[in-house]
Amino acid sequence: MDPKSSTELSQHDQSVIHLDRTNVEHGGKPKEAVEEPDFSHIDEAKALRKMDVRLLPVLAILYLLSFLDRGNIGNANIQGLSADLGLSGNQYNICLTAFFFTYSFFEIPSNLILKKMRPSIYLPAIMIVWGSCTATNVLLGLVRNYHSLLAVRICLGIAEAGLYPGCAYYLTMWYCASELQFRQGLFYSGASLAGAFSGLLAYAIVKMDGIGGYEGWRWIFIIEGLLTVVGAFVAFFVMFDFPETASFLTDDEKAWAVYRLKYQGSLRSGRRIAENSRFQWKNVIQAVTDWQLYLSLFVYWGIVCPLYGIALFLPTIINQLGYTASRAQLLTIPIYVTASILTVVVCYFSDRAPRSTYVIIPMCAILAGFVIAIAASAHGGAPGAVYAGVFIATCGIYPAFPGNVTWIANNLAGSYKRAAGMAFQIGVGNLGGAMASNFYRKPDGPKYILGHALEIGFITLGLIALVVLRLRYAKINAERDRMADEGSDLTDEQIADMGDRAPTFRYVL
């Protein structure tokens, strides 16, 4: 059966839709005569397992391919990219930086398009586009100078902008707040596996040096790009769109999945109100002017600057410590494999404890790792200590990233506000990648004291913002708890329209 095919709504589905309409009919409050649907017969654990098996492996592979194409330039660089293209001065850094400007700019439009389109069509389509405009699809493989490399990196940023925020938002269409981070972690672990896979693949691919008249680093782009195109074509046939059209769920499971997502935002207050899912431009404006997004951005930069600093420069850092290029590729593998395992473990426990706890602990690990790296670099003669510091930092970066994204997703109410807010956080947040692209400059090697120091500065700023955000959430929740009326003078429609600013909404801490 085609996984994308829609099925007729059961009577149970219709009763859920009827209840939603009655909740906001004529702007009134819920009518007492309407009974809530009875889902006691649903095996929730079984339904969630079905979702996990059908959704998460596909998303993890898609993001692995995305991160592979984004970061493989670091592997190619130590195999001769800069020398062969005649890059001088900061031209390599400019090529890295250019990617993030277009990548950041197109993320909000992409998420709004995703909300209107079928994910099973949109996400694979943009993969084919970037697979066709990067190295892989022979375009980057044929790059001969700085300007053509720069053009391809700009196009890659446009095409790839929708993948991560799209996948992160797509998961919120299936999972509730208390289930989301573990799933985000499973999906995001594909990024850390991409780092390991990239190093291993690059080590093997460069052996093709000279085949077809191409240098080994060109083959890194060509082979890895073709993998992306193949993966995208497969995704067309195995991705599912939304719970209500998922062929692997029974009709009652579909109704249960839709119902619980609609009402999750108000459950902590005791008043059950359906989430607003109508598109209005004011939802986008509310998202980009929301105070919590700006504090969250500093937290994001405290994670993403180290993330991209390591993703783009780890092979170079290890190579500059005195290891050969081939050994440097291999030494990246244990770092990323360990980070992938820790990501899943930390995210599993995060769904069972305050969200902020499992963001602040990994961020402290990032800080500790870079402190070790900068101290060992300044001392000199201790490449093993620098490697250990970077190892520890990476093991903090990958669990912290999905934690921060999930936290803001949990605290944005309203379907379109969440779509725009997540894209804004990830889009503007990824300008941190543009900054990090210039932290590790060639003249600063092999110690890279400036790069490590800048990472420490951003991590510290992020930790401060995290503490302020957590305290602010707690204060607002306490104020709403003290309100006796819970917005009794407001209709359900008005409260749904207010989203996370409603008196019935409680922030996840």
Side-chain angles (χ1 to χ4, degrees):
M1 182 182 290
D2 183 355
K4 302 175 194 138
S5 63
S6 302
T7 58
E8 292 297 321
L9 290 176
S10 68
Q11 269 189 319
H12 218 156
D13 288 300
Q14 294 169 7
S15 71
V16 171
I17 294 171
H18 174 69
L19 175 61
D20 290 342
R21 286 174 179 162
T22 352
N23 268 337
V24 295
E25 192 174 25
H26 308 303
K29 298 191 175 83
K31 298 180 180 178
E32 294 185 7
V34 180
E35 295 183 2
E36 293 183 10
D38 178 15
F39 295 115
S40 60
H41 61 292
I42 298 291
D43 186 338
E44 297 185 10
K46 180 181 178 182
L48 287 171
R49 281 196 300 272
K50 286 183 182 180
M51 294 182 191
D52 293 343
V53 170
R54 291 343 190 269
L55 306 179
L56 298 179
V58 177
L59 293 183
I61 291 172
L62 295 188
Y63 194 53
L64 183 151
L65 293 170
S66 165
F67 213 81
L68 204 61
D69 281 342
R70 192 184 319 168
N72 57 13
I73 191 169
N75 299 102
N77 193 47
I78 66 169
Q79 297 295 341
L81 177 145
S82 290
D84 290 342
L85 296 184
L87 303 186
S88 59
N90 61 354
Q91 288 182 334
Y92 173 72
N93 297 81
I94 291 173
C95 289
L96 298 183
T97 304
F99 166 89
F100 291 101
F101 286 107
T102 51
Y103 182 83
S104 299
F105 182 79
F106 284 94
E107 291 198 353
I108 290 180
S110 181
N111 256 19
L112 294 177
I113 293 170
L114 174 66
K115 179 65 180 173
K116 290 287 189 182
M117 290 185 63
R118 291 170 56 179
S120 62
I121 294 177
Y122 183 68
L123 294 177
I126 62 175
M127 287 183 67
I128 290 175
V129 171
W130 93 59
S132 306
C133 87
T134 79
T136 47
N137 327 295
V138 188
L139 281 181
L140 191 52
L142 297 178
V143 164
R144 296 295 176 186
N145 54 44
Y146 162 68
H147 294 98
S148 52
L149 176 63
L150 179 63
V152 170
R153 292 291 293 178
I154 290 172
C155 293
L156 177 60
I158 296 172
E160 203 172 323
L163 198 278
Y164 179 71
C167 288
Y169 177 61
Y170 172 74
L171 287 176
T172 69
M173 302 177 191
W174 290 82
Y175 297 101
C176 290
S178 60
E179 306 153 354
L180 190 57
Q181 184 160 341
F182 179 53
R183 275 75 186 187
Q184 290 276 14
L186 285 171
F187 144 60
Y188 188 72
S189 63
S192 49
L193 285 177
F197 189 53
S198 180
L200 184 61
L201 201 56
Y203 176 76
I205 292 174
V206 292
K207 306 296 184 184
M208 299 175 64
D209 186 40
I211 295 178
Y214 292 135
E215 300 92 334
W217 64 264
R218 293 185 187 274
W219 281 110
I220 292 175
F221 290 119
I222 294 170
I223 298 296
E224 293 182 4
L226 291 175
L227 285 175
T228 297
V229 175
V230 171
F233 275 113
V234 173
F236 272 121
F237 301 101
V238 298
M239 278 194 76
F240 296 86
D241 293 311
F242 308 106
E244 57 266 36
T245 61
S247 58
F248 64 86
L249 295 176
T250 66
D251 287 346
D252 283 353
E253 286 171 339
K254 293 175 189 176
W256 164 79
V258 171
Y259 183 83
R260 71 200 193 106
L261 289 168
K262 279 182 177 291
Y263 293 97
Q264 65 171 329
S266 62
L267 288 180
R268 292 183 290 275
S269 72
R271 183 173 171 185
R272 189 176 293 270
I273 298 170
E275 182 176 70
N276 182 10
S277 58
R278 301 188 308 273
F279 175 73
Q280 297 172 294
W281 279 108
K282 71 175 183 179
N283 299 141
V284 179
I285 296 171
Q286 286 172 354
V288 300
T289 57
D290 196 326
W291 64 271
Q292 58 176 320
L293 274 173
Y294 289 90
L295 275 175
S296 181
L297 272 177
F298 286 104
V299 181
Y300 195 99
W301 283 332
I303 300 167
V304 83
C305 286
L307 169 67
Y308 283 116
I310 285 178
L312 296 171
F313 293 99
L314 182 58
T316 301
I317 293 170
I318 296 175
N319 183 224
Q320 290 286 303
L321 291 175
Y323 299 102
T324 63
S326 295
R327 192 173 183 192
Q329 305 279 25
L330 294 176
L331 283 172
T332 65
I333 296 172
I335 295 179
Y336 288 118
V337 170
T338 307
S340 178
I341 295 169
L342 283 174
T343 299
V344 175
V345 172
V346 169
C347 289
Y348 173 82
F349 286 106
S350 176
D351 278 336
R352 290 154 178 79
R355 279 274 184 266
S356 54
T357 303
Y358 287 93
V359 180
I360 196 167
I361 292 175
M363 287 189 72
C364 288
I366 303 171
L367 180 61
F370 276 103
V371 168
I372 293 171
I374 196 171
S377 295
H379 182 273
V386 177
Y387 179 81
V390 175
F391 199 126
I392 293 169
T394 307
C395 289
I397 290 168
Y398 284 89
F401 191 90
N404 185 42
V405 171
T406 304
W407 197 19
I408 202 67
N410 291 163
N411 289 327
L412 291 171
S415 181
Y416 278 99
K417 181 180 179 181
R418 186 180 305 112
M422 292 180 70
F424 179 80
Q425 182 206 34
I426 296 169
V428 179
N430 273 318
L431 289 176
M435 294 184 280
S437 300
N438 297 282
F439 286 1
Y440 294 92
R441 304 175 305 173
K442 190 173 182 179
D444 298 330
K447 293 187 175 182
Y448 295 109
I449 300 294
L450 177 61
H452 296 330
L454 288 169
E455 302 287 23
I456 289 171
F458 273 95
I459 299 162
T460 304
L461 187 62
L463 282 167
I464 293 170
L466 190 154
V467 172
V468 173
L469 186 60
R470 169 66 169 76
L471 293 175
R472 180 65 179 154
Y473 281 153
K475 182 181 178 182
I476 293 174
N477 283 354
E479 290 172 351
R480 291 176 182 175
D481 288 340
R482 287 194 295 269
M483 293 175 61
D485 61 356
E486 286 283 2
S488 59
D489 57 329
L490 300 171
T491 66
D492 286 356
E493 188 174 20
Q494 288 172 325
I495 287 180
D497 198 47
M498 291 173 72
D500 50 81
R501 299 178 184 180
T504 55
F505 187 87
R506 299 297 183 273
Y507 289 109
V508 173
L509 302 180

